[in-house]
Structure formats: structure tokens, C-alpha cells
Amino acid sequence: MASPLIKAVIFDMDGVLIDSEPAWQLAEYETMRNHGLHISYQDTLQTTGLRIDEVVSYWYQRFPWKDYDNHKTATEIVNKVVQHILDDGTAMQGVFKALDFCKANRLKIGLATSSSQAIIQAVLNKLEIGHYFSSIQSAEHLNRGKPHPEVYLNCIDDLELSSSQCVAIEDSFNGLIAARAANMQTIAIPAPEQQDDQKWIIAHKQLDSLLELPEYLQDKF
């Protein structure tokens, strides 16, 4: 059976619109090491796509440390990431081409991210892309972040569409699970070093970058 026609593209943010995943990983690694956790830089990949308070909780549950303060630790990480974005943040390959294509073809554009409003505002200001989005949704104050689908469902409702009319673009497995749970069509654009991982098979389509998005969407709306 043919797929329903796409009327909206909902983007994840970190690692999809802006090259911030390395900054998140470094900030998480440095902060956790400062708390005495002997984790590796590679270990931080396990929390990609999670909300920041859930990241801190994830590590505390595995390696409890003294004077645990989730909010304080999360704020430390977020502040480091914001500073990196403002200083050195760069758009992922194909971002402007993809956004311009969606706008030119009257596709609604949404943003659904686990990141806080502080991170969202830093990214939108740095890349100057806020005007593209009809809906911007954060999981910051939701009961559950990704991989729970709530942030995607909120974005879909705000766009006044059905799940099947929306395609989600994700770079993380947790985000992809959230989009699938929201009954959306899905595109995975994992980091180059992760592109051969078999886990991305749960996406409806895998692309190398947003440069390929216009051609993929061309006959789907």
C-alpha cells in the first residue's frame, strides 16, 4: 500500500540541524569525570537523544556519587553546550537546502527535541532559522522525554495533522524509537561512524545527510 502523503517534516535538533553532538558528549564526559565517574568518551553515546535530566539520572543509577543534585549537574552540562553552540556551532550538511525545500513546497516544518529551551534558543539564534518552524516543541518539562513519543505527539497536534502525514528526521536511536512510537514515517541520518549499524533498520529510510532529503521527498507530498 502506498504511504500517506507527507504534509510536514519534523526535525530533531542536536545532530540533525546543528553539529552539537560532540559538544554534548564532551560536556557530559567532563562533568561525569568531575564527579568521579570513570566513564569513557565512547560511553556517552549510550545517552544520545535522552533529555538532560535523564542523562544525569542514567549515570547516577549506575555509578552513584556523593552530593547528588540532578538539576545542578544538568545545568553544568547545558551551560557548556550553550557556550559551544554560541562560539563554534555550525549547521549540519544540507540544513538550509532541506528547510528551503520544505518551505518552497508548502510542507509544514516542526522541531521536536529533548533539549531545553536554552539550547533551542542558542541554536535558532546561531543558525538564524527560527522563522522556518511552525511548531517548536521541547521535552524539557514533559513527564517523559525521548524515547517516549510525547514530544512528537505534541508537535503533530500543534501542526494540526495526523501522525501518518508527518515524517521525523532523527540521528539517535532513542529519537527514532520515539518517532516510531508516535506512528510517524521516519528518516534516520546517523553520524558517519554509526551509519553501518544494523539498528537503523527500524527507520523507514536512512540517508547520509540532509542534502538527500529533497530528492527523497520529491514524490511524497
Side-chain angles (χ1 to χ4, degrees):
M1 178 168 41
S3 298
L5 294 180
I6 291 173
K7 294 188 177 180
V9 179
I10 301 179
F11 294 83
D12 175 47
M13 188 174 71
D14 296 289
V16 172
L17 297 178
I18 191 162
D19 188 15
S20 55
E21 290 298 358
W24 275 108
Q25 292 160 18
L26 181 59
E28 181 181 338
Y29 170 78
E30 290 178 344
T31 303
M32 293 300 106
R33 296 285 290 194
N34 288 341
H35 283 289
L37 278 65
H38 297 293
I39 67 171
S40 68
Y41 188 80
Q42 187 72 16
D43 289 335
T44 64
L45 295 175
Q46 299 171 36
T47 60
T48 302
L50 296 181
R51 196 170 59 188
I52 186 59
D53 61 305
E54 295 172 332
V55 170
V56 176
S57 178
Y58 177 94
W59 290 119
Y60 181 72
Q61 290 173 18
R62 287 156 179 78
F63 308 105
W65 62 86
K66 292 182 179 180
D67 303 319
Y68 173 67
D69 185 329
N70 187 293
H71 178 73
K72 181 179 179 180
T73 304
T75 300
E76 289 177 30
I77 296 173
V78 167
N79 287 343
K80 290 181 180 181
V81 176
V82 167
Q83 195 58 54
H84 168 81
I85 289 170
L86 295 178
D87 290 344
D88 304 305
T90 57
M92 297 295 289
Q93 188 179 38
V95 165
F96 301 108
K97 179 180 179 180
L99 291 173
D100 284 338
F101 174 85
C102 292
K103 184 177 180 180
N105 288 279
R106 298 183 180 180
L107 294 171
K108 291 185 177 181
I109 304 174
L111 178 66
T113 175
S114 292
S115 287
S116 65
Q117 290 294 338
I119 299 284
I120 293 172
Q121 204 55 54
V123 171
L124 297 182
N125 289 343
K126 183 67 176 182
L127 302 185
E128 299 180 345
I129 57 174
H131 61 284
Y132 283 100
F133 297 95
S134 298
S135 178
I136 297 173
Q137 301 292 324
S138 167
E140 179 179 14
H141 299 301
L142 299 182
N143 288 330
R144 288 166 290 188
K146 298 176 185 178
H148 192 276
E150 186 173 7
V151 68
Y152 272 118
L153 294 173
N154 288 348
C155 194
I156 293 164
D157 286 344
D158 197 34
L159 293 173
E160 299 181 331
L161 295 171
S162 66
S163 296
S164 62
Q165 294 173 314
C166 302
V167 59
I169 303 181
E170 277 285 351
D171 74 311
S172 76
F173 192 63
N174 285 317
L176 194 56
I177 293 172
R180 288 301 307 255
N183 198 34
M184 302 172 69
Q185 299 180 64
T186 55
I187 297 173
I189 307 181
E193 64 273 14
Q194 300 180 45
Q195 288 180 354
D196 293 331
D197 197 313
Q198 291 301 306
K199 67 185 179 183
W200 305 114
I201 197 171
I202 72 168
H204 293 91
K205 181 68 176 180
Q206 181 175 337
L207 302 177
D208 289 336
S209 78
L210 285 174
L211 288 174
E212 300 175 342
L213 184 66
E215 182 178 358
Y216 175 70
L217 291 180
Q218 192 65 57
D219 60 349
K220 293 178 171 57
F221 53 84

